[in-house]
Amino acid sequence: MPRPRITSIAPPASPRATARAHWASQGLPGHTRKGWALAVSLRCLLPLALLALCLGQAQAEPASHWEVSGFGSVGVVSQHGAEGWRMNRNMTQAPADGPVSARPDSRLGVQLNWQLDTQWEAAVQAVSLSKPAHSPWRDSVEWAYLGYRPSPHTRIRLGRTNPDTYLYADSRNVGYALTWVRPPVDFYGFAPMAATDGVDLEHQWTLDDTRWRMRLTAGIFATMATAGDGSTFRIRAKDAYGFSLLREEGGLLLKASGLRTRLNMGMPEGFLQLKQGLAGLQSLPLPGLNESLAPLQDALWTEGQATYLALGAQYEHGPWTTVAEWSDLSIPKTLTGGRRAYGSVSYRLGTVSLYGLASRVSPHKNMPVVPDLVGSLSPVLGPVQAQQAQGLATVAAEVATRSRFDQGTVGLGLRWDATPQMALKFQIDRFRVYPSGSAAWMNGTASAARGNLVSVGLDFVWGP
């Protein structure tokens, strides 16, 4: 059976989103369709107008090198528990705007593919979704690359692509390509590596009945993100180097990937002032004061090296599909790093798929202890200033909590493929947030929380 080409938005032959689709989408023999991909916000009226003009000209040609396709999702999620907290599907999106919200899961995308011959390719894909405030339109661009194949099994792409760090790196926004209403938030929620500007090299080969694909990526990226208090900041990365290796045989797909980069978090002015205040306290000539405040200063991290490693597996056997991913994010001295994992099992009955999933994110580091500054600083600064210093340290700990992920989720769901290009989904999740682990939520606090998410979504695709 031909594998669905998720990246070209062709309707999957099976409603189960499979990482195997990426083999076909990346141009294996017999599936050598390629393209530029560009994700455009609905606010980008001029680019969309130009796109429409190009499409009109392309359709007028008898043998066009152009193809257009698209996808979308209309979703609503209802939150019960964790009062006042707001769900955030991904830190590079705007969070839910209330206990019932269509923001997290609704999106609309369009993609334009161009292929000159068997060697040259190009494209434009535009995804409109609720972005953080002050996000420039270019943050909505998922892909925008020019590709060249020096041989049938080797491809070089120059421009904007998605780093191949997840099983669903290329299809995480295409709801129709996923079994679930959304990718597991515990795993995909911290994903600032959305689009990389640079170059990647891909090579594919076959040994006996086993197919392999290797990809190397180098570049930079930048995106707006939402902080736990609702403020926004800019994430920038330089010297981003990534790799992925896929192995597929029969119904089993295995994937290993990694990315290493230097991150810079353009935090708001208040955050930087907090860091400066702590630095001022550390400079006081008191024995042990610098050391006791150092963990808090490290937790208010703004730049440094980050390393991401991941393993993924998918197995299809008859109506059953099992998917699992594991990752480790390492950012020295900070609270953001941690291990993530999820597993999902689905069973297909005709046009209906039943599924269950469980996910967990666990931080590398515990919360730093807030030292008792009143007793040590009162003789030096006086009781009033010592109390102010204590308050500064307490606020620093509260802000640091917003970067620490520590939670787990279990869920059950149903997908019904109403038509070959449309699917209706229903999902119930039970989440548990552990103390000082609410980084996945806006307005989250250091308290533990439990609750439920009830989600309904309608996904569709169109085009060739």
Side-chain angles (χ1 to χ4, degrees):
M1 177 183 296
R3 290 173 176 77
R5 296 179 298 187
I6 290 178
T7 54
S8 60
I9 323 304
S14 163
R16 296 187 296 272
T18 69
R20 297 198 322 176
H22 298 300
W23 289 104
S25 69
Q26 301 307 324
L28 283 172
H31 300 283
T32 56
R33 183 165 146 187
K34 319 144 197 145
W36 274 83
L38 165 70
V40 179
S41 163
L42 287 179
R43 294 171 294 177
C44 306
L45 299 180
L46 179 58
L48 287 178
L50 293 175
L51 176 60
L53 178 61
C54 291
L55 292 177
Q57 293 175 343
Q59 291 173 355
E61 298 177 7
S64 176
H65 300 290
W66 302 82
E67 285 186 349
V68 64
S69 53
F71 59 90
S73 297
V74 179
V76 177
V77 57
S78 176
Q79 177 185 328
H80 307 272
E83 299 301 325
W85 296 19
R86 293 294 174 258
M87 174 198 171
N88 202 355
R89 168 170 165 160
N90 186 294
M91 66 180 297
T92 61
Q93 293 185 207
D97 53 357
V100 178
S101 179
R103 269 188 180 179
D105 300 318
S106 298
R107 59 208 59 224
L108 180 65
V110 62
Q111 177 169 310
L112 175 66
N113 283 30
W114 172 80
Q115 181 175 330
L116 178 63
D117 50 32
T118 59
Q119 290 185 301
W120 291 97
E121 59 187 66
V124 190
Q125 188 194 77
V127 179
S128 172
L129 51 82
S130 187
K131 285 286 188 179
H134 312 300
S135 295
W137 68 268
R138 61 181 177 273
D139 280 7
S140 297
V141 176
E142 293 288 332
W143 295 348
Y145 66 82
L146 176 67
Y148 174 72
R149 291 183 183 269
S151 71
H153 301 286
T154 303
R155 178 174 64 174
I156 301 171
R157 295 189 297 179
L158 180 65
R160 175 164 292 190
T161 60
N162 285 327
D164 196 28
T165 47
Y166 317 104
L167 280 180
Y168 301 102
D170 289 340
S171 57
R172 67 191 187 283
N173 281 317
V174 187
Y176 189 85
L178 305 172
T179 304
W180 325 290
V181 169
R182 69 187 70 87
V185 174
D186 297 343
F187 192 88
Y188 285 81
F190 182 81
M193 299 86 74
T196 302
D197 298 325
V199 62
D200 72 19
L201 171 66
E202 175 187 292
H203 183 67
Q204 303 173 16
W205 68 98
T206 302
L207 294 175
D208 298 326
D209 294 328
T210 304
R211 299 199 285 182
W212 296 82
R213 189 197 74 188
M214 178 185 68
R215 184 182 295 174
L216 303 175
T217 303
I220 61 174
F221 62 81
T223 185
M224 293 296 292
T226 305
D229 61 354
S231 61
T232 61
F233 60 96
R234 192 74 172 163
I235 300 176
R236 292 182 173 85
K238 297 181 179 180
D239 303 329
Y241 301 102
F243 79 92
S244 65
L245 180 65
L246 278 75
R247 179 188 185 276
E248 184 184 23
E249 182 178 8
L252 177 64
L253 181 142
L254 302 173
K255 181 175 183 178
S257 60
L259 184 131
R260 188 166 186 169
T261 186
R262 290 189 296 123
L263 289 175
N264 179 278
M265 319 289 274
M267 303 304 291
E269 184 63 28
F271 185 95
L272 300 179
Q273 291 176 354
L274 188 59
K275 282 183 64 68
Q276 292 171 359
L278 279 182
L281 290 178
Q282 288 179 286
S283 66
L284 294 176
L286 291 177
L289 182 60
N290 179 63
E291 291 76 10
S292 64
L293 291 174
L296 282 177
Q297 187 69 272
D298 290 340
L300 299 177
W301 174 82
T302 56
E303 60 181 332
Q305 183 173 281
T307 303
Y308 181 87
L309 298 173
L311 298 172
Q314 179 175 278
Y315 181 65
E316 291 191 1
H317 181 70
W320 293 95
T321 299
T322 302
V323 182
E325 290 189 79
W326 171 93
S327 71
D328 181 279
L329 174 65
S330 177
I331 305 178
K333 298 184 179 181
T334 74
L335 301 179
T336 304
R339 293 186 176 89
R340 292 167 167 77
Y342 77 88
S344 175
V345 177
S346 65
Y347 183 81
R348 179 173 171 80
L349 292 165
T351 59
V352 176
S353 294
L354 307 174
Y355 62 87
L357 69 158
S359 56
R360 181 76 167 92
V361 52
S362 178
H364 287 315
K365 292 183 178 293
N366 295 323
M367 276 296 300
V369 176
V370 179
D372 179 11
L373 300 180
V374 175
S376 60
L377 294 182
S378 291
V380 179
L381 303 177
V384 175
Q385 290 189 358
Q387 190 64 48
Q388 291 175 346
Q390 186 70 59
L392 179 69
T394 301
V395 171
E398 292 174 354
V399 172
T401 298
R402 297 170 186 162
S403 66
R404 188 172 181 270
F405 296 81
D406 192 0
Q407 69 178 49
T409 306
V410 294
L412 295 172
L414 177 148
R415 169 180 172 142
W416 173 45
D417 285 81
T419 74
Q421 294 183 305
M422 184 178 296
L424 182 64
K425 302 174 185 176
F426 176 79
Q427 183 171 320
I428 300 177
D429 296 300
R430 176 67 176 173
F431 64 84
R432 178 180 180 182
V433 182
Y434 295 88
S436 300
S438 61
W441 303 80
M442 190 184 77
N443 301 333
T445 66
S447 302
R450 297 177 186 233
N452 301 313
L453 298 173
V454 179
S455 306
V456 178
L458 178 67
D459 301 320
F460 57 89
V461 293
W462 57 271

